[in-house]
């Protein structure tokens, strides 16, 4: 099973925004990242637009030749309007608060059942595949199926945190949850704090992992190895496993 690499370019936008000009040019970098082999571009516009801005979205949608994935919280409505206007291949719904530094937990798919159902159906009726950010817990995965999500994206922050202490323990909840997701026939994506050390083991142990979206570590690695080498090193972690 091939796992696609989608590069999250938020941190590149953050560098650009630091000086208020168009340098580095995000459109050019995204084209280059795809030419180095990335199989997707992910953006996560936050309400304060500190990295990706709403104005970036149509420009990136226009040039992305692989898969365009927009992540974010569907509240406020501004986010949904932007997604429906730009028609990404995939929209990943994330329950992050407006002031969150980064996403730090998945949906409670039981508590938010009716909201998610409505939101997902609106996106799907417009031809957009929907993935929802999810902790590796059976009840939330079953809930994700119930609300009609096409995929879940495992929040892998806790996996990355405990990987160095004991990787077998770190992977266990995800491997168990993946069995449930596969049985329910819901697709599996994953993201957050994946890096060159922990990615291969994750991919090897999660059957039918369809896609990973990786930003922070990949951009940091590119400072050392260059973007072209870095993208290829991440692709290598996803090759010839299973
Ligand atoms: N998935 C989601 C939902 C995220 O919010 C982020 C961070 O923006 C990522 C994946 C990528 O995480 P990282 O930047 O740690 O690779």
């Amino acid at each position: 099973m091939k796992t696609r690499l989608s590069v999250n370019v938020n941190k590149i936008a953050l560098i650009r925004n630091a000086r208020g000009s168009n340098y580095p040019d995000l459109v050019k970098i995204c084209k280059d990242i795809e030419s180095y082999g990335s199989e997707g571009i992910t953006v996560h516009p936050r309400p304060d637009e500190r990295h990706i801005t709403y104005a970036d979205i149509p420009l990136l949608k226009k040039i992305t030749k692989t898969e365009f994935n927009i992540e974010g919280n569907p509240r406020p409505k501004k986010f949904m309007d932007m997604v429906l206007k730009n028609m990404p291949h995939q929209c990943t719904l994330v329950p992050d608060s407006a002031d969150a530094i980064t996403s730090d937990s998945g949906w409670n798919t039981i508590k938010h059942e009716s909201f998610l159902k409505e939101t997902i159906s609106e996106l799907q009726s417009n031809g957009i595949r929907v993935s929802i950010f999810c902790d590796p817990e059976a009840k939330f995965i079953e809930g994700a199926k119930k609300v009609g999500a096409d995929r879940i994206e495992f929040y892998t922050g806790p996996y990355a945190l405990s990987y160095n202490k004991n990787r077998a323990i770190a992977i266990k909840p995800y491997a168990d949850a993946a069995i449930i997701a596969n049985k329910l026939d819901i697709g599996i994506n994953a993201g957050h704090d994946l890096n060159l050390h922990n990615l291969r083991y994750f991919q090897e142990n999660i059957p039918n992992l369809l896609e990973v979206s990786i930003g922070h570590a990949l951009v940091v690695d590119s400072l050392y190895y260059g973007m072209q080498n870095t993208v290829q090193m991440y692709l290598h972690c996803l090759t010839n496993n299973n």
Side-chain angles (χ1 to χ4, degrees), residues 8-103:
N8 176 318
V9 294
N10 270 27
K11 288 286 145 58
I12 298 168
L14 189 70
I15 297 171
R16 175 201 59 190
N17 296 355
R19 285 291 175 92
S21 63
N22 190 34
Y23 183 67
D25 179 341
L26 196 58
V27 165
K28 176 176 179 339
I29 292 196
C30 287
K31 282 184 185 168
D32 290 341
I33 286 172
E34 283 191 318
S35 77
Y36 303 149
S38 171
E39 294 139 327
I41 297 290
T42 290
V43 292
H44 190 147
R46 306 250 176 204
D48 61 8
E49 300 184 72
R50 64 183 182 272
H51 13 59
I52 293 293
T53 67
Y54 273 51
D56 286 325
I57 307 285
L59 304 176
L60 297 179
K61 168 69 204 305
K62 195 167 157 205
I63 57 93
T64 300
K65 294 198 182 102
T66 55
E67 182 194 276
F68 192 52
N69 175 39
I70 304 180
E71 297 176 348
N73 194 326
R75 291 188 182 107
K77 194 178 169 297
K78 185 182 169 202
F79 177 86
M80 285 294 282
D81 291 345
M82 176 274 293
V83 172
L84 292 169
K85 205 164 149 195
N86 288 283
M87 297 292 291
H89 301 97
Q90 176 174 269
C91 179
T92 302
L93 305 178
V94 185
D96 53 352
S97 57
D99 58 352
I101 293 176
T102 185
S103 320

Side-chain angles (χ1 to χ4, degrees), residues 51-195:
H51 13 59
I52 293 293
T53 67
Y54 273 51
D56 286 325
I57 307 285
L59 304 176
L60 297 179
K61 168 69 204 305
K62 195 167 157 205
I63 57 93
T64 300
K65 294 198 182 102
T66 55
E67 182 194 276
F68 192 52
N69 175 39
I70 304 180
E71 297 176 348
N73 194 326
R75 291 188 182 107
K77 194 178 169 297
K78 185 182 169 202
F79 177 86
M80 285 294 282
D81 291 345
M82 176 274 293
V83 172
L84 292 169
K85 205 164 149 195
N86 288 283
M87 297 292 291
H89 301 97
Q90 176 174 269
C91 179
T92 302
L93 305 178
V94 185
D96 53 352
S97 57
D99 58 352
I101 293 176
T102 185
S103 320
D104 55 6
S105 70
W107 285 97
N108 180 332
T109 52
I110 301 155
K111 186 172 166 196
H112 298 287
E113 181 181 336
S114 61
F115 171 70
L116 284 171
K117 220 180 223 173
E118 219 174 273
T119 307
I120 290 169
S121 131
E122 187 176 6
L123 292 165
Q124 287 170 337
S125 64
N126 283 278
I128 300 168
R129 186 174 73 227
V130 183
S131 177
I132 64 175
F133 207 44
C134 211
D135 295 317
E137 280 193 50
K139 63 181 180 194
F140 295 143
I141 298 164
E142 284 153 10
K145 181 71 184 177
K146 205 166 165 195
V147 297
D150 300 290
R151 295 189 186 182
I152 48 166
E153 179 184 318
F154 279 141
Y155 168 46
T156 48
Y159 163 75
L161 201 61
S162 57
Y163 177 87
N164 291 329
K165 282 183 228 138
N166 186 328
R167 66 184 194 170
I169 291 178
I171 198 72
K172 177 90 170 66
Y174 296 88
D176 291 347
I179 292 171
I180 296 164
N182 283 324
K183 267 195 197 137
L184 292 171
D185 197 25
I186 186 164
I188 304 174
N189 295 344
H192 222 283
D193 295 318
L194 293 172
N195 60 37

